[in-house]
Amino acid sequence: MFGRITRSHVIVFILLVVVSLIAAISILPPDAKEPHPDSAIFIYAGQQILNGDTLYKDLWDNKGPLLYYINALAVFISGTSMWGLFIIEYLGLLASILLGYLSIKKAFGKVPAVFASVVWPLALFYINDNGGNFTEEYSVPLGFAAIYLYLRSREKGGSLPCVFLIGVTFSLSFLLRPNNTGIQIAAALLIFISGILNRRYYRLIKEIIAYGLGVILVLGLALLYFHAKDALGDFYDAFIVYNSAYSVVSVRDRIASLMFGLRLISPTGLVIVAVVAWFLAISRLAGGNDGDESRRALIALAALALPLEFLLSSLSGLTFNHYYLCWLPVLAIMTGYFIFELMRAVSSASFNFLGRKISLSYIWIFGFLAAMSFLALAKIPARIGSFVSTTVNPNTVLEAIKENLDDENYLLMWGSSAYYNYVTEVKSPSRYFHQLPLFLCAYTTDEMIEEFLDDVKQKKPL
């Protein structure tokens, strides 16, 4: 599968590990004492799942269920320490970089693969500005996995298990957030289009079945689990009904969301490079086959997935930085393709330096690498400084809670401060351990408010 391991492979692997360690600094929360509110909600829910609570039925939140089980694993690894979560996030980042490298190398060669695998992770310093633990973050390795599997499935004699696994990655991403499935949707569309254009109808039917089985297996198991826990209605209410009410926005809001994402990532240079590469890709695809099936397959996938990702990320009309994390796999592929075309365009130009002939393309590549990396790397000292400085300051809120808990079995934090329930290991009195659903008029009912008030009256929390 990977061939003989050479010294060059070892050097590239070490380089990618170093890049992953640098990019992992972006995952550190700005405040070492307390994660951002969303992350605190997720990890508290994970903690309570390990304590026997049922998601949605006993713990209300609106994200996909996979997120909370990832957080449950983090709690299982490290208890109330945040390092278990960091380990999971880092492994996901490293897997993303390695899968991206293997995919781009297969289609475009080693130099474009190394370039893209160095540049795209640094964009995390712009998109992950508030630390990690977002649904989109966990979808990134699934996106890269889908890309790699799609390439394998397009090889001569293609692999049906790879198509099946693409369906699995679709379901896993869907169970994080439905909007995170752009690459898998693009892969499915291309499998269908390719089967029709090449008139391989029997093969197409088998691939549709394989993809569908992958989707149904994971989604079906999830639905059966919640049905067995008598929480299927609660799952539907929180995951579908609430998010539908939450996402009722205008076309203008969605355009504004898209433009925000483009401006957010623009300092990295990835957006402009990807847009240029997209037009090159359309031109190349329209011009016919250039003889390399892997290259053509990856170009087609990225060309279709880029506008899909733009569309899906802006559906909510909101402008949270982490919404644009799912762009990164496609931007990485487009960046690798841009470098490939650059090398092909100037491959004949060279100059002599100290008696050695050096291709002009490498000068261009080095220039792009410096320009696309400098601003992101400049953010590292401030990020580390922010994290380290907060380790010396006491958390006065936490100290006050611990001093006043006495024998209380419940702790109610108003708003979205579930971190204090998590770190003290004291339950919230209500499944509404954060009260955000009670503030959305299009969703909230009198019964929900009465349930919350009854829980507070009966359990008498601190």
Side-chain angles (χ1 to χ4, degrees):
M1 178 178 171
F2 297 104
R4 186 172 64 88
I5 296 177
T6 65
R7 183 169 176 267
S8 174
H9 291 147
V10 173
I11 292 172
V12 170
F13 177 76
I14 292 172
L15 172 64
L16 297 182
V17 170
V18 171
V19 170
S20 70
L21 291 171
I22 293 172
I25 297 171
S26 69
I27 299 171
L28 295 173
D31 184 351
K33 295 288 186 181
E34 183 178 347
H36 59 82
D38 283 355
S39 181
I41 288 170
F42 308 151
I43 201 161
Y44 169 73
Q47 181 188 64
Q48 295 309 306
I49 287 171
L50 292 180
N51 290 337
D53 282 356
T54 299
L55 190 58
Y56 306 114
K57 182 180 179 181
D58 302 317
L59 300 159
W60 192 100
D61 199 41
N62 65 310
K63 300 299 189 294
L66 181 56
L67 176 64
Y68 308 102
Y69 287 94
I70 292 172
N71 278 261
L73 176 60
V75 177
F76 179 79
I77 292 172
S78 63
T80 56
S81 166
M82 299 299 292
W83 287 108
L85 187 63
F86 182 83
I87 290 169
I88 293 172
E89 291 177 290
Y90 172 72
L91 292 176
L93 173 60
L94 179 60
S96 299
I97 293 173
L98 295 177
L99 286 168
Y101 171 79
L102 290 173
S103 301
I104 299 169
K105 179 177 179 291
K106 185 174 182 60
F108 306 131
K110 182 184 292 185
V111 174
V114 170
F115 182 95
S117 300
V118 169
V119 170
W120 81 255
L122 298 179
L124 292 171
F125 286 100
Y126 289 89
I127 310 175
N128 243 9
D129 68 335
N130 199 29
N133 200 19
F134 297 109
T135 63
E136 295 81 6
E137 178 187 358
Y138 300 117
S139 288
V140 170
L142 293 172
F144 277 111
I147 290 168
Y148 178 75
L149 291 165
Y150 178 75
L151 277 184
R152 293 294 304 275
S153 74
R154 298 303 94 189
E155 292 175 351
K156 190 173 182 179
S159 171
L160 284 177
C162 287
V163 177
F164 168 80
L165 290 173
I166 296 171
V168 170
T169 67
F170 171 89
S171 288
L172 292 174
S173 280
F174 185 90
L175 291 174
L176 286 165
R177 185 170 178 252
N179 304 55
N180 298 0
T181 55
I183 292 171
Q184 291 86 351
I185 293 173
L189 289 172
L190 287 176
I191 288 170
F192 180 79
I193 293 169
S194 174
I196 295 297
L197 292 180
N198 294 319
R199 298 183 179 181
R200 297 174 181 169
Y201 304 119
Y202 180 63
R203 175 73 186 179
L204 175 60
I205 291 171
K206 291 195 293 184
E207 289 183 327
I208 291 172
I209 293 172
Y211 192 102
L213 286 175
V215 172
I216 292 169
L217 176 66
V218 177
L219 287 181
L221 287 174
L223 294 176
L224 285 173
Y225 170 78
F226 287 114
H227 176 72
K229 290 287 189 177
D230 194 27
L232 192 57
D234 297 298
F235 165 65
Y236 176 80
D237 179 71
F239 190 50
I240 303 298
V241 176
Y242 176 85
N243 285 322
S244 298
Y246 183 69
S247 302
V248 176
V249 294
S250 66
V251 173
R252 182 177 180 179
D253 291 329
R254 289 169 179 160
I255 294 173
S257 176
L258 173 62
M259 297 308 296
F260 176 86
L262 294 173
R263 289 193 301 270
L264 176 69
I265 305 177
S266 62
T268 66
L270 286 172
V271 170
I272 185 64
V273 164
V275 170
V276 171
W278 188 83
F279 283 104
L280 289 172
I282 297 300
S283 175
R284 183 69 63 184
L285 292 170
N289 199 341
D290 64 0
D292 190 305
E293 288 298 326
S294 293
R295 185 182 307 146
R296 187 171 179 82
L298 192 56
I299 291 171
L301 180 64
L304 181 56
L306 186 65
L308 268 175
E309 291 289 4
F310 285 172
L311 172 66
L312 291 171
S313 66
S314 59
L315 282 179
S316 70
L318 302 174
T319 54
F320 296 118
N321 289 16
H322 55 88
Y323 278 10
Y324 310 97
L325 282 165
C326 288
W327 292 8
L328 292 179
V330 183
L331 294 181
I333 302 305
M334 281 302 188
T335 299
Y337 176 57
F338 176 84
I339 295 300
F340 170 79
E341 289 288 7
L342 175 66
M343 293 178 67
R344 187 150 68 173
V346 297
S347 60
S348 60
S350 62
F351 65 95
N352 291 318
F353 181 73
L354 298 178
R356 297 187 64 179
K357 190 175 182 180
I358 299 176
S359 172
L360 186 62
S361 63
Y362 288 106
I363 303 299
W364 278 102
I365 290 170
F366 180 79
F368 274 108
L369 182 64
M372 296 174 72
S373 304
F374 176 76
L375 291 177
L377 291 173
K379 288 177 169 284
I380 292 176
R383 175 59 64 87
I384 294 175
S386 174
F387 179 79
V388 171
S389 66
T390 59
T391 63
V392 299
N393 301 319
N395 189 322
T396 54
V397 175
L398 180 59
E399 290 178 354
I401 290 171
K402 287 181 175 180
E403 287 175 4
N404 290 278
L405 265 176
D406 296 326
D407 296 324
E408 280 92 346
N409 295 317
Y410 300 98
L411 169 64
L412 175 65
M413 298 301 298
W414 185 247
S416 55
S417 300
Y419 170 73
Y420 297 101
N421 294 96
Y422 164 69
V423 76
T424 60
E425 299 185 83
V426 180
K427 283 177 63 72
S428 170
S430 171
R431 67 175 177 142
Y432 302 110
F433 59 94
H434 66 90
Q435 293 78 52
L436 297 182
L438 306 182
F439 302 152
L440 184 63
C441 294
Y443 170 77
T444 308
T445 64
D446 291 342
E447 290 77 10
M448 292 167 58
I449 296 172
E450 289 170 6
E451 176 190 342
F452 175 74
L453 291 176
D454 286 343
D455 287 336
V456 172
K457 289 175 184 177
Q458 292 174 17
K459 296 175 182 176
K460 296 181 171 57
L462 174 67

